[in-house]
Amino acid sequence: MSTSSPSTAPVTSGPSPASDPTPASGSSLTSVFVRLKLSLLANGLRQSAGRRAAFIASVVMALLIAAGQLIGLFLFRGDHNAATLVVLLVGVLALGWTFVPLFFPSGDETLDPTRLVMLPLRPRPLVSALLVASLVGIGPLFTLTLALGGALALARGPVAALVAVVAVPLVLLVCVALARAVAAANIRLLTSRKGRDLAVLSGLLIAVGIQFVNFGAQRLGQAGGLTALDPVASVVRWIPPASAAGAIESASTGAYGTAGAQLALSLAALGGLLYLWQRSLTQLMTSPDGSTIAAASEPKRGPSSSGPHRLLPGGRTGPVMQRTLRYIRRDPKTKGAWIASLAIGLLVPLFNAFQGTGSIYFACFACGMLGVQMYNQFGQDTSAFWMVAQTISSTRDAYEELRARALALLLITLPYTVLVTVATAALLEDWQALPEALGLGFALLGAMLATGAVLSARFPYSIPQDSAYKNVAPGQGSLAWISVSCGMLVGALLCAPLIALTIWLHVAGPQSALWTLLPLGTAYGAAMTWAGLRLAAPRVAGRLPEILTAVSKG
């Protein structure tokens, strides 16, 4: 950057582009991107002490999990199933690196290549710089720990140790390059309106896939353990980056030619991914973006008061409920969160019921999944929250705003809770427990709405609209994670009195009184919701500037 004044010549920090068209070297560009990554993280943490505490807590938890898996894999050393476990873990990890950065929260601004298209950078040094910058973060550290633990579990002998020295960083680089290549190749699709709707479908597929993994894990335990997965592992060990982990096992058994071939496969995959990533960056930098042409040509529709909206209450409540329901129907990220919650909340109890190992109380999981939608209510407004803030001048206004949002959620969550609980009872043929399960579900739903209202006022965070794969602004990911996890824990603790009453009635109380849990749970949930809204309203009214700053960050 140059500075000048009328009486002095311009002072520059280096040669101008006109005098030296040579692009920056790869090493200098890499250091710039690493500093950029660290600066984005540091700037996000400067927002408040709460965000710093949430980030530190998440880092500590991630490190504890990483240390636990490292020790666990090391203790697995010498087991005849160690190779199967390590190879499959690396394969699943690579699958996660492929899809998770696209559809789940991320604080890495450099992952979006569309932010770089206007910079005078060449794709090849840009790929190297982004690859190194991607190695900064909790995810890469977790991946490195898993790969290192796998090497400790498999490496036996000096040759295997030398192979492990190459294989461990190779696993990490392939995973990171895979995530980057997929993101760059699909960013135009994901940032279009139709692409964001496809991301909704991906969330549903991931939700269903998680349940299939759970189902497979349970069947695996019944089939005699990891030995049943040996045929699968024999195939996965030839798929990069799992082939790098397989090379360590091959070298340990003396199959040096096989180990070399497996390492070569991972190296070839890394080179191919870097090439594809570079091609995608070149295309992004040289081709126009027409993803919004169709959306811009669509006719705009004004607000309508016809149809079901006429049934909503009058005053402030009706318009706020209509706005919340419109977010659910039209906003891709809100829609995706709702579809994923609806799918997981239905699949968990029904899958367990189908297997004969479930309980009707698993239906409460659906209440928990949908109750999370009350969290970060103001984040979905983004910078438009300033218009909402203009209408809040008192605690009463804030209470009515929160109450209307909660009522809009209840229009979906209440009938859904009844549907899931009745379906679970039908599959288990446990109609006698239906009233108490519904009562517990309604109580949990009320507790989640209460904690969601309070945490929306206390820990708001932004939902960026310029990236289809990022749901939290940089520096706020840990805040969001801590907010939701702690809120769910507190919501469960708030239901402790009703849970204790249920246990007492089953153990020592009259069985004929179990039906009373339905009205008691309904009243308890309503009281919890009312208390949470009352507690959150003065916080919202008194913290409007802070909330607006937090939700406008993205």
Side-chain angles (χ1 to χ4, degrees), residues 301-312:
R301 298 176 185 149
S304 173
S305 60
S306 61
H309 294 154
R310 291 180 299 177
L311 303 177
L312 298 178

Side-chain angles (χ1 to χ4, degrees), residues 87-112:
V87 166
L88 292 180
L89 280 178
V90 174
V92 172
L93 185 67
L95 193 64
W97 272 98
T98 305
F99 296 105
V100 170
L102 294 178
F103 307 119
F104 284 85
S106 172
D108 188 358
E109 286 284 285
T110 63
L111 187 61
D112 186 355

Side-chain angles (χ1 to χ4, degrees), residues 303-327 329 397 399-409 411:
S304 173
S305 60
S306 61
H309 294 154
R310 291 180 299 177
L311 303 177
L312 298 178
R316 182 190 186 100
T317 303
V320 174
M321 292 179 66
Q322 185 175 349
R323 183 205 325 138
T324 302
L325 295 172
R326 185 176 289 116
Y327 280 149
R329 187 175 70 254
D397 292 336
Y399 173 76
E400 292 180 351
E401 175 75 22
L402 289 170
R403 183 186 62 184
R405 293 177 184 238
L407 288 173
L409 267 60
L411 287 179

Side-chain angles (χ1 to χ4, degrees), residues 159-173 244 247-248 263-264 266-267:
V159 177
L162 290 176
V163 173
V165 171
V166 179
V168 169
L170 190 57
V171 168
L172 175 61
L173 291 176
I248 303 176
L263 276 181
S266 291
L267 287 170

Side-chain angles (χ1 to χ4, degrees), residues 34-293:
V34 172
R35 291 198 304 271
L36 173 63
K37 181 77 172 288
L38 296 174
S39 297
L40 288 171
L41 178 61
N43 290 337
L45 296 178
R46 290 194 188 103
Q47 298 295 322
S48 68
R51 290 177 186 171
R52 288 191 294 273
F55 177 78
I56 292 173
S58 66
V59 169
V60 170
M61 184 169 294
L63 290 176
L64 288 176
I65 295 174
Q69 76 176 3
L70 180 63
I71 296 173
L73 287 171
F74 179 75
L75 294 177
F76 219 70
R77 180 181 177 87
D79 191 278
H80 66 281
N81 288 321
T84 299
L85 176 63
V86 172
V87 166
L88 292 180
L89 280 178
V90 174
V92 172
L93 185 67
L95 193 64
W97 272 98
T98 305
F99 296 105
V100 170
L102 294 178
F103 307 119
F104 284 85
S106 172
D108 188 358
E109 286 284 285
T110 63
L111 187 61
D112 186 355
T114 58
R115 294 178 177 270
L116 311 172
V117 295
M118 298 301 295
L119 300 178
L121 302 174
R122 294 181 178 177
R124 180 171 297 178
L126 184 59
V127 164
S128 302
L130 288 175
L131 181 63
V132 175
S134 301
L135 300 178
V136 179
I138 299 176
L141 177 61
F142 187 87
T143 303
L144 181 62
T145 306
L146 189 146
L148 181 59
L152 292 176
L154 299 180
R156 298 184 302 274
V159 177
L162 290 176
V163 173
V165 171
V166 179
V168 169
L170 190 57
V171 168
L172 175 61
L173 291 176
V174 171
C175 287
V176 173
L178 181 60
R180 291 287 188 168
V182 171
N186 294 279
I187 191 63
R188 285 282 171 84
L189 173 64
L190 294 174
T191 52
S192 67
R193 180 61 180 267
K194 292 182 179 180
R196 289 192 294 266
D197 289 337
L198 288 176
V200 171
L201 177 61
S202 72
L204 177 60
L205 294 176
I206 291 173
V208 175
I210 290 174
Q211 294 311 309
F212 276 108
V213 170
N214 180 40
F215 179 76
Q218 295 182 8
R219 292 298 182 188
L220 181 63
Q222 300 172 2
L226 291 171
T227 305
L229 291 178
D230 285 343
V232 179
S234 64
V235 176
V236 176
R237 70 176 69 250
W238 289 98
I239 302 176
S243 61
I248 303 176
E249 172 64 15
S250 299
S252 298
T253 58
Y256 302 129
T258 302
Q262 290 172 319
L263 276 181
L265 275 176
S266 291
L267 287 170
L270 178 60
L273 288 171
L274 294 178
Y275 174 73
L276 292 176
W277 184 10
Q278 180 179 331
R279 283 195 59 183
S280 299
L281 288 177
T282 303
Q283 185 177 4
L284 285 170
M285 292 178 174
T286 57
S287 61
D289 181 9
S291 60
T292 58
I293 295 177

